[in-house]
Amino acid sequence: DTEVTQTPKHLVMGMTNKKSLKCEQHMGHRAMYWYKQKAKKPPELMFVYSYEKLSINESVPSRFSPECPNSSLLNLHLHALQPEDSALYLCASSQEVQPHYGYTFGSGTRLTVV
Amino acid sequence: GQQLNQSPQSMFIQEGEDVSMNCTSSSIFNTWLWYKQEPGEGPVLLIALYKAGELTSNGRLTAQFGITRKDSFLNISASIPSDVGIYFCAGRRGATNKLIFGTGTLLAVQP
């Protein structure tokens, strides 16, 4: 299995809702990432997990809450989002050290906040 | 945050033409990656580079890790319509797992 699977593919939520994005990989990668991508822009790093521990938080607002329940799963919990948070949310994984095979990305969750 | 500058921003070419794009930074990177992204999909890794001066090919694609470690280049030979997409460079510094993306090059290929 060489894929990163993200669910759901599309999500529409209101500003008062609570929802979660899910990401799964079975490549034995011990580093996992959340990126946010606006239309026609490059992906921007949000969080990095290394061996299930949060190692990088790029000053992301607290309405985004990541969670890594085990080495294969990564969640992003969403609460009280704003319309400007609408974007493609990408999950990625890599080997922890010297990622010789690069970073593998999922297809993303297209989030719309109304 | 830090940004990698890609050029050109966009390219509109005829099928069969060769394509060149580059990525530059004011900082040194120890890994350069090139990704292609199609609409509605995540980036797909094309080529990974780990040593200054390294030249690596993947089919019609060739990429080089600049000798100064501050830039990288991607060439696509004999372009075909399915090469259409946005090409991103990405760099990693030091021992961090932080991957920084370039601004992207939009490629359009006319049959």
Side-chain angles (χ1 to χ4, degrees):
Chain A
D1 189 350
T2 58
E3 288 188 349
V4 173
T5 303
Q6 288 188 245
T7 55
K9 251 190 118 48
H10 301 276
L11 178 63
V12 179
M13 62 184 289
M15 289 188 283
T16 58
N17 290 160
K18 284 185 181 181
K19 296 286 185 184
S20 297
L21 309 185
K22 296 187 183 303
C23 175
E24 189 169 1
Q25 58 87 15
H26 297 288
M27 294 178 280
H29 289 172
R30 300 310 294 271
M32 296 185 77
Y33 314 79
W34 282 114
Y35 280 81
K36 173 183 177 180
Q37 186 177 28
K38 296 286 240 181
K40 294 184 171 44
K41 297 291 186 185
E44 293 180 353
L45 182 65
M46 300 175 70
F47 302 105
V48 179
Y49 270 83
S50 176
Y51 290 93
E52 294 102 70
K53 286 185 169 42
L54 183 64
S55 61
I56 296 177
N57 176 343
E58 290 286 285
S59 303
V60 178
S62 60
R63 57 185 185 270
F64 295 91
S65 175
E67 178 198 17
C68 191
N70 60 55
S71 60
S72 299
L73 295 174
L74 185 66
N75 299 321
L76 186 62
H77 303 298
L78 314 172
H79 174 54
L81 294 194
Q82 303 296 311
E84 58 265 29
D85 295 321
S86 299
L88 181 68
Y89 287 84
L90 294 163
C91 173
S93 70
S94 73
Q95 294 176 352
E96 166 59 10
V97 176
Q98 291 298 322
H100 285 284
Y101 300 104
Y103 297 66
T104 303
F105 282 82
S107 297
T109 293
R110 174 73 60 189
L111 174 68
T112 304
V113 182
V114 297
Chain B
Q2 183 172 21
Q3 204 170 48
L4 300 176
N5 296 310
Q6 275 185 251
S7 65
Q9 192 174 11
S10 59
M11 303 180 75
F12 298 88
I13 62 171
Q14 296 282 340
E15 183 177 2
E17 287 185 32
D18 295 344
V19 171
S20 291
M21 60 188 79
N22 65 59
C23 188
T24 60
S25 171
S26 56
S27 303
I28 288 174
F29 287 81
N30 60 9
T31 300
W32 285 97
L33 306 172
W34 283 93
Y35 285 90
K36 177 188 176 186
Q37 187 174 25
E38 297 183 22
E41 296 295 327
V44 174
L45 182 66
L46 300 173
I47 292 180
L49 302 158
Y50 300 103
K51 291 182 185 177
E54 181 181 355
L55 187 70
T56 298
S57 293
N58 178 6
R60 293 178 296 106
L61 278 61
T62 301
Q64 184 161 25
F65 193 137
I67 199 75
T68 65
R69 297 171 64 195
K70 293 183 179 180
D71 55 12
S72 181
F73 307 88
L74 177 69
N75 295 315
I76 305 173
S77 62
S79 58
I80 58 178
S82 61
D83 289 334
V84 164
I86 301 179
Y87 290 79
F88 288 106
C89 64
R92 188 174 72 100
R93 298 178 62 193
T96 177
N97 278 332
K98 188 172 173 177
L99 192 63
I100 299 167
F101 278 80
T103 48
T105 295
L106 172 66
L107 178 64
V109 180
Q110 186 168 1

